[in-house]
Amino acid sequence: MDAVDISSISKSVLLATFAVTFLLGAVMQKTGFCSMGAVSDIFIMSSWGRLRQWFLAIGVAIIGFTLMSFLGLIDPLKSIYTSSKFLWLSTIVGSTLFGFGMVLASGCGSKTLVRIGGGNLKSIIVFLVLGLTAYTTMRGFLGVLRVNTLDSVFIALSTPQDLPSILSAFTGFARPDLHLLLGLMVGFAFVAYALANKVFWTVENILAGTLVGLAICAVWWISGNLGFVAEDPNTLEEVFLVTNSGRMESLSFVAPYAYSLDLLMLYSDTSKVLTVGITAVLGMISGSALIAFMTKSFRWESFRDAEDTANHLVGATLMGFGGITALGCTVGQGLSGISTLALGSFLALPGFIFGAYLALRYLQIRLAPNPCT
């Protein structure tokens, strides 16, 4: 395969990623899909609708990933989520901090992009601070701190950390068959929970959960099939084109913030190129903006006061550090990662929810009137 083919495939990967995330941004803007909102709705209004949206998306993503793996369209063990190094402490701490931060910052990484498309100036600041913190946590002094503390505590597994690989080693059953069985069981369990309450059965709810889950599957296929080259003509090794990790990727919105800023600041460096993650950021903002203009909901929004500013700055910082430490956000771990049935992703999911709950309790206490005044 020559360089022209590689270039052509790379463009196809980026165009397909943009198309999928453009649609995803539009869907999230139109339906209000939001993982932070899912927790706050339960805490404030005892409404479980958006949590069911999230769980429906998880179920669809798991089922789609499982079927693509079983059919040989993608290799389920080629992502960052299935490493044999189980960073349990980093996952717990990182997901809890991210969950806390996303409440202070009025939304997770994906919601921030949707808000930017809708004209929210606060979210632009969140984007910048989150991206800088994420970059520092990957390669700066916070990265050194992370590696020498949280990441030094781990469990070295004898197999990849996805549940099919672990159970296959214990039971002796063939991994592909076990993956199919587990994936369908777990995936349909999430779907069944989401659909258990008929109040949830609205076009908006079903559309939101289903399309978000399908978007995760689509990007897995784009990265792991369309962008996969068995033998790079330059290295003679297999390669996943235009991914920052060099492995099969789906959607995540923490590290791509950092890579987006890196590309903007060092654009003249020819080694800096568009990737799946960066393109997804652009697609999300563009799709959201289109719907905001079409529905006439686009409006400029800025900080309310100094405390509002401080909350967003602290929240963005916690999301940047927590998202990198946990290997992903509520989309990266809470959808893409969990679709692989990775042990770390199942540990991160309650961490996001618990962190968000703590932040909501904190804000409730801050807003409560002082009985001594």
Side-chain angles (χ1 to χ4, degrees):
M1 181 176 292
D2 55 29
V4 175
D5 294 321
I6 292 292
S7 176
S8 177
I9 295 172
S10 297
K11 290 178 181 178
S12 297
V13 168
L14 295 177
L15 286 172
T17 300
F18 183 83
V20 170
T21 52
F22 184 91
L23 175 61
L24 181 62
V27 169
M28 287 189 171
Q29 176 67 262
K30 181 64 176 175
T31 64
F33 183 97
C34 177
S35 50
M36 185 276 287
V39 182
S40 64
D41 283 357
I42 296 171
F43 183 80
I44 298 172
M45 300 181 295
S46 298
S47 172
W48 294 73
R50 284 203 280 187
L51 183 72
R52 292 180 186 276
Q53 284 184 359
W54 188 8
F55 279 18
L56 177 58
I58 290 174
V60 171
I62 291 175
I63 293 169
F65 184 89
T66 299
L67 292 176
M68 287 191 294
S69 300
F70 186 75
L71 295 173
L73 299 177
I74 58 175
D75 186 338
L77 301 180
K78 294 295 184 179
S79 76
I80 63 170
Y81 304 109
T82 52
S83 166
S84 60
K85 193 175 183 180
F86 180 39
L87 299 166
W88 62 271
L89 183 59
S90 295
T91 301
I92 292 173
V93 173
S95 61
T96 303
L97 290 178
F98 185 93
F100 197 100
M102 73 177 180
V103 171
L104 296 184
S106 302
C108 65
S110 61
K111 189 64 173 181
T112 295
L113 299 178
V114 172
R115 287 179 181 273
I116 290 174
N120 193 302
L121 299 175
K122 296 190 289 186
S123 294
I124 295 177
I125 302 302
V126 170
F127 180 97
L128 294 173
V129 175
L130 193 160
L132 289 172
T133 306
Y135 200 94
T136 306
T137 307
M138 287 193 294
R139 300 179 181 177
F141 80 96
L142 288 178
V144 175
L145 178 66
R146 169 180 60 83
V147 170
N148 290 329
T149 55
L150 297 173
D151 286 2
S152 65
V153 181
F154 62 90
I155 298 174
L157 303 174
S158 58
T159 67
Q161 65 173 274
D162 63 294
L163 295 180
S165 294
I166 294 172
L167 294 178
S168 177
F170 276 106
T171 63
F173 287 108
R175 190 204 170 282
D177 296 335
L178 199 54
H179 187 181
L180 180 65
L181 178 63
L182 283 174
L184 294 180
M185 287 177 59
V186 175
F188 279 113
F190 274 102
V191 172
Y193 171 79
L195 300 178
N197 189 337
K198 288 192 176 181
V199 176
F200 177 76
W201 291 18
T202 66
V203 173
E204 185 173 279
N205 285 335
I206 301 299
L207 187 69
T210 302
L211 289 185
V212 170
L214 289 176
I216 298 298
C217 298
V219 179
W220 275 129
W221 180 86
I222 291 167
S223 170
N225 186 295
L226 180 61
F228 174 69
V229 176
E231 187 176 289
D232 188 324
N234 299 312
T235 64
L236 302 181
E237 296 179 350
E238 70 174 25
V239 62
F240 294 94
L241 298 176
V242 289
T243 63
N244 290 111
S245 66
R247 310 192 74 179
M248 181 174 68
E249 294 179 357
S250 188
L251 298 177
S252 187
F253 295 108
V254 177
Y257 277 36
Y259 293 126
S260 298
L261 295 179
D262 185 46
L263 177 63
L264 288 174
M265 292 186 292
L266 301 174
Y267 186 77
S268 60
D269 184 345
T270 56
S271 67
K272 307 297 181 181
V273 296
L274 277 175
T275 61
V276 168
I278 297 172
T279 303
V281 168
L282 297 174
M284 288 284 290
I285 294 174
S286 301
S288 170
L290 177 66
I291 294 298
F293 281 113
M294 288 179 62
T295 59
K296 298 182 180 181
S297 61
F298 183 94
R299 69 178 187 277
W300 300 114
E301 182 180 349
S302 188
F303 295 105
R304 182 180 64 255
D305 51 30
E307 182 172 354
D308 188 36
T309 305
N311 281 340
H312 281 76
L313 293 176
V314 172
T317 302
L318 291 176
M319 283 200 292
F321 178 79
I324 295 300
T325 302
L327 283 182
C329 57
T330 50
V331 171
Q333 280 280 37
L335 283 167
S336 298
I338 210 166
S339 71
T340 69
L341 300 180
L343 196 60
S345 301
F346 282 102
L347 186 61
L349 182 61
F352 295 134
I353 296 173
F354 179 64
Y357 169 77
L358 290 178
L360 289 166
R361 286 288 297 164
Y362 162 76
L363 292 178
Q364 186 183 55
I365 293 170
R366 287 285 298 170
L367 293 174
N370 187 342
C372 297
T373 60

